[in-house]
């Protein structure tokens, strides 16, 4: 009866997360998605849907949160500037050292005001470099990537040709 009422009262789509007990007695997170199919008179003919087990996704999200926390603790402990740019050349994350060093707040830094901390002579090039970091590789970059730089045990650097260069 509750299911019949639901099928008549709801919209044409349904999405809900719920916990369902499996055969071992554990409750697992599930995502239920359904679409209502109608008869010619707009009455509900049937619901078609899927149920997705979110157990692994939730485990991965928890592990990622722990990993991010460890990264932030490490980055904040370093006496160096650490930051992460997004694809719009805006800083998504910076460590505490940057905030103390620059005197900027996190909000100012994330709004792009980090450029104000760069010397005026260097500001334009710094901004260009931040934007170029997300441009597709050009031909020169691809050619340079074809060479591997490998540090030898005596401390010298030596270029090692790739298989493509050997041809």
């Amino acid at each position: 009866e509750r299911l019949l009422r639901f099928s008549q009262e709801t919209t044409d789509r349904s999405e809900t997360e719920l916990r369902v007990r499996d055969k071992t007695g554990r409750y697992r997170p599930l995502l239920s998605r359904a679409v209502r199919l109608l008869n010619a008179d707009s009455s509900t003919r049937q619901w078609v849907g899927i149920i997705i087990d979110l157990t692994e996704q939730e485990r991965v999200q928890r592990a990622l949160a722990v990993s991010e926390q460890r990264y932030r603790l490490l980055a904040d402990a370093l006496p160096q500037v650490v930051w992460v740019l997004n694809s719009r050349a805006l800083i998504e994350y910076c460590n505490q050292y940057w905030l103390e060093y620059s005197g900027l707040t996190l909000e100012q830094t994330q709004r792009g005001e980090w450029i104000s901390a760069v010397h005026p002579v260097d500001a334009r090039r710094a901004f260009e470099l931040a934007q170029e970091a997300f441009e597709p590789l050009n031909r020169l970059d691809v050619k340079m990537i074809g060479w591997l730089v490998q540090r030898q045990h005596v401390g010298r650097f030596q270029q090692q040709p790739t298989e493509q260069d050997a041809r």
Side-chain angles (χ1 to χ4, degrees):
E1 182 179 319
R2 286 175 53 196
L3 210 52
L4 179 60
R5 197 167 355 118
F6 169 79
S7 72
Q8 294 169 344
E9 296 172 358
T10 191
T11 62
D12 291 336
R13 296 179 185 274
S14 170
E15 182 172 312
T16 187
E17 287 188 31
L18 57 146
R19 304 229 172 241
V20 176
R21 189 176 54 237
D22 68 12
K23 64 184 177 185
T24 68
R26 292 181 305 155
Y27 283 92
R28 298 172 66 118
L30 302 178
L31 173 64
S32 171
R33 290 183 176 159
V35 176
R36 181 167 54 161
L37 301 179
L38 303 175
N39 292 315
D41 65 356
S42 295
S43 62
T44 301
R45 179 174 49 146
Q46 67 182 8
W47 281 89
V48 177
I50 60 169
I51 295 177
I52 303 166
D53 187 337
L54 300 176
T55 305
E56 181 64 12
Q57 180 180 341
E58 285 189 1
R59 186 196 65 75
V60 168
Q61 286 174 338
R62 284 191 306 274
L64 179 59
V66 167
S67 176
E68 285 177 356
Q69 181 63 26
R70 286 181 184 156
Y71 168 79
R72 289 177 192 273
L73 287 171
L74 175 63
D76 281 337
L78 291 173
Q80 301 294 324
V81 173
V82 177
W83 45 264
V84 176
L85 286 175
N86 67 19
S87 61
R88 297 179 307 162
L90 295 174
I91 293 178
E92 284 187 357
Y93 168 79
C94 63
N95 66 347
Q96 188 63 36
Y97 186 83
W98 165 256
L99 300 176
E100 293 168 6
Y101 183 87
S102 68
L104 297 171
T105 66
L106 178 61
E107 293 76 21
Q108 290 171 315
T109 300
Q110 289 178 328
R111 281 196 306 259
E113 295 176 34
W114 61 268
I115 201 71
S116 68
V118 178
H119 190 281
V121 171
D122 301 322
R124 181 176 178 181
R125 184 63 185 140
F127 187 74
E128 289 171 353
L129 285 171
Q131 290 181 317
E132 287 174 14
F134 294 95
E135 290 180 3
L137 296 176
N138 62 37
R139 288 178 182 220
L140 178 62
D141 294 328
V142 171
K143 186 173 182 181
M144 291 176 72
I145 289 171
W147 288 87
L148 299 175
V149 178
Q150 203 172 52
R151 185 176 180 133
Q152 300 297 316
H153 67 280
V154 292
R156 292 178 300 146
F157 287 89
Q158 179 180 359
Q159 291 181 337
Q160 299 292 324
T162 62
E163 288 182 27
Q164 180 181 7
D165 295 324
R167 292 182 202 155

